[in-house]
Amino acid sequence: MAAVTIIGGHGKVALRASRLLADAGHDVTSWVRNPDHVPDVEATGATAAVHDAESMSTEQMARALAGADVVVWSAGAGGGSPERTRAVDHEAAVRSMDAAATLADPLYVMVSYFGAGSDHGVPQDNPFFAYAEAKAAADEHLRGSDLRWVVLGPSTLTDEPGTGQVDVDAEESGEVTRDDVAAVIAHVVEHPELAGRTIRFNNGDTPIAEALDSLV
């Protein structure tokens, strides 16, 4: 079983993923910024750690990540100013990657979004532009690192019950349930042979394990 650290542990996807991972026997530590969120995290079977990734240095992150086999970035500024979006979704994410690089060959799983990339196509006057730019830069830094990495690109998230099925060959973004995104994260954690891949997905007709195993 792996020691897994989830950064952004109180997010809706992260809480689902931590429960799946803890139920599978993994040692899960979830970072939360707000101490009030500790009970929600610990109800999933994970250990909560109060850390503010936005303000932590690379060295502080490295100390907090010590012993992790897998790092999952599921944090985000959640909108707001472009400056804070850049500070969290790009700069803090990059520091976490650099911190993870001090570990003993960890797997780093980035939760991104379906259309992320330098060709994201979001107009500059769109409120989503700052996020699109930040994610593109963070994902590119990860791909250029020496880490074993997986970039996950789920499409528009819904709170419908999970289907257990995805489409990893889709060329256009559709929808995917948060339950199924969490299940994809859990599968990737247990299948490090997926490292080096960017996996964009919608809900579909193929069981998650079968769909992901087809990429290896």
Side-chain angles (χ1 to χ4, degrees), residues 61-76:
M61 285 189 177
R63 288 194 294 271
L65 289 172
D69 302 309
V70 182
V71 178
V72 179
W73 178 273
S74 191

Side-chain angles (χ1 to χ4, degrees), residues 110-151:
M110 167 61 75
V111 181
S112 188
Y113 74 97
F114 194 101
S118 58
D119 56 349
H120 57 71
V122 179
Q124 196 163 355
D125 60 354
N126 187 307
F128 193 72
F129 178 80
Y131 179 76
E133 287 283 284
K135 292 302 283 186
D139 293 356
E140 192 60 27
H141 184 89
L142 181 59
R143 294 188 187 101
S145 74
D146 292 329
L147 291 165
R148 290 183 301 142
W149 56 265
V150 175
V151 175

Side-chain angles (χ1 to χ4, degrees), residues 7-214:
I7 303 175
H10 195 254
K12 293 180 180 180
V13 169
L15 287 170
R16 289 167 165 84
S18 63
R19 185 179 298 279
L20 292 176
L21 290 165
D23 285 351
H26 298 287
D27 181 7
V28 183
T29 300
S30 286
W31 292 12
V32 294
R33 183 171 58 88
N34 186 342
D36 292 343
H37 294 161
V38 167
D40 294 338
V41 167
E42 295 193 336
T44 71
T47 298
V50 180
H51 295 300
D52 183 358
E54 182 180 0
S55 64
M56 294 171 77
S57 67
T58 301
E59 293 74 18
Q60 289 171 325
M61 285 189 177
R63 288 194 294 271
L65 289 172
D69 302 309
V70 182
V71 178
V72 179
W73 178 273
S74 191
S81 72
E83 292 77 18
R84 184 159 190 269
T85 297
R86 184 170 57 251
V88 176
D89 293 288
H90 175 207
E91 295 168 1
V94 165
R95 290 196 302 276
S96 77
M97 297 169 205
D98 294 346
T102 68
L103 304 174
D105 194 30
L107 177 68
Y108 189 107
V109 181
M110 167 61 75
V111 181
S112 188
Y113 74 97
F114 194 101
S118 58
D119 56 349
H120 57 71
V122 179
Q124 196 163 355
D125 60 354
N126 187 307
F128 193 72
F129 178 80
Y131 179 76
E133 287 283 284
K135 292 302 283 186
D139 293 356
E140 192 60 27
H141 184 89
L142 181 59
R143 294 188 187 101
S145 74
D146 292 329
L147 291 165
R148 290 183 301 142
W149 56 265
V150 175
V151 175
L152 298 179
S155 53
T156 300
L157 303 177
T158 76
D159 285 323
E160 297 298 314
T163 67
Q165 298 178 315
V166 293
D167 176 3
V168 296
D169 297 315
E171 296 184 2
E172 294 185 4
S173 178
E175 291 185 342
V176 63
T177 74
R178 288 180 170 87
D179 285 344
D180 290 320
V181 177
V184 168
I185 292 171
H187 187 89
V188 168
V189 167
E190 296 187 340
H191 293 81
E193 64 271 19
L194 287 163
R197 289 166 176 81
T198 298
I199 305 171
R200 299 180 177 90
F201 59 98
N202 300 323
N203 274 130
D205 299 320
T206 307
I208 288 169
E210 181 182 337
L212 295 179
D213 290 348
S214 73

